[in-house]
Amino acid sequence: MIIVLNNKSNLTREEFIEYQSELSKIKSKHNIVLCPSIIHIANFYLENIHLGSQNVSKDKNGSHTGEVSSLQLKSFDVEYCLVGHSERREEFNETNLVISKKIKGLLEEKVIPILCIGEYTKEDLDTTVKVLKKQISTTLKELTEEEKKKVIIAYEPRWAIGKGKTSQIKEIDHTLKSIKEILPNNLLLYGGGITEYNIKDLKKSSFLDGYLLGGLSLDINKFKKFLQELEK
Ligand code: 13P
């Protein structure tokens, strides 16, 4: 399983030092990927954890004030990068076209894109699947079949993020199954409202290759409980 920790815009310099020291003690058979706030990437040193970024520029190196390019990420040994997170789509008006450029740029540097998709409000299942199919087709349409397979898909319903609860596993599985039908060879993650408790149900899904954690990533004790539950 791949477990991605999205710290979002959290942790000061001192807090990140303490956080890494706690994470360094974690032993897990799963692949844990830490996506810290981009300001901490240069201070990442963990050997038991992979490094990811929360964002990347849509452009190559050059005059793009405030942006970080895929080549720069690669030079810090970043292996994964989130793209299309609903918070970026909403707060920074990121369109599917921009997301598709980011994915292309990352693949050129051999950084694995984790494409986040998800509906904004709770919809009936057919509408949800329609929304997701559109997000997938518009963001991946420029890629070759070989390139497509390298993208990890993270299904994260916007309405579940930060709420500490998910839909019923039956509903989640219905949606995941539809994604697998379009992209049978891609790794598939679920995120949004995951806790150390509801992982008990989520882990019953037969379509999942991993999880994307927001709030839970910031509380090491809860994260350890999550891992224990997952490994039971
Ligand atoms: P929560 O786990 O806090 O719901 O956030 C999920 C998320 O947005 C991860 O990218």
Side-chain angles (χ1 to χ4, degrees), residues 6 8 82 85-87 116 156 160-164 191-194 212-216:
N6 179 5
K8 308 191 178 180
L82 298 175
H85 193 283
S86 56
E87 288 158 10
C116 303
E156 277 207 318
I161 293 177
K163 298 290 186 301
I194 300 182
L212 177 49
L213 312 178
L216 193 59

Side-chain angles (χ1 to χ4, degrees), residues 47-72:
E47 286 177 1
N48 55 335
I49 301 224
H50 300 269
L51 179 58
S53 173
Q54 295 175 20
N55 190 26
V56 64
S57 170
K58 69 178 186 349
D59 299 298
K60 289 184 190 288
N61 282 3
S63 303
H64 310 290
T65 303
E67 292 291 81
V68 174
S69 73
S70 46
L71 181 62
Q72 288 176 309

Side-chain angles (χ1 to χ4, degrees), residues 58 81-86 88-89 93-107 113-118 120 129-145 147-155 179 182-183 186:
K58 69 178 186 349
C81 182
L82 298 175
V83 277
H85 193 283
S86 56
R88 293 216 54 90
R89 291 181 195 251
N93 300 322
E94 248 177 45
T95 60
N96 285 323
L97 178 66
V98 166
I99 294 162
S100 121
K101 284 189 179 171
K102 291 185 175 196
I103 293 175
K104 263 280 196 210
L106 288 167
L107 289 172
I114 303 175
L115 170 63
C116 303
I117 55 171
Y120 285 79
V129 171
K130 245 187 233 161
V131 171
L132 303 184
K133 279 189 175 165
K134 173 126 196 278
Q135 289 176 346
I136 291 172
S137 61
T138 46
T139 49
L140 302 186
K141 70 172 182 230
E142 301 291 329
L143 304 185
T144 64
E145 285 309 307
E147 285 174 327
K148 256 188 214 172
K149 284 183 204 162
K150 295 182 182 146
V151 179
I152 298 178
I153 307 293
Y155 169 51
I179 302 172
I182 327 170
L183 297 170
N186 294 63

Side-chain angles (χ1 to χ4, degrees), residues 179-192:
I179 302 172
K180 273 279 175 202
E181 278 165 10
I182 327 170
L183 297 170
N185 301 309
N186 294 63
L187 293 176
L188 188 50
L189 316 182
Y190 174 82

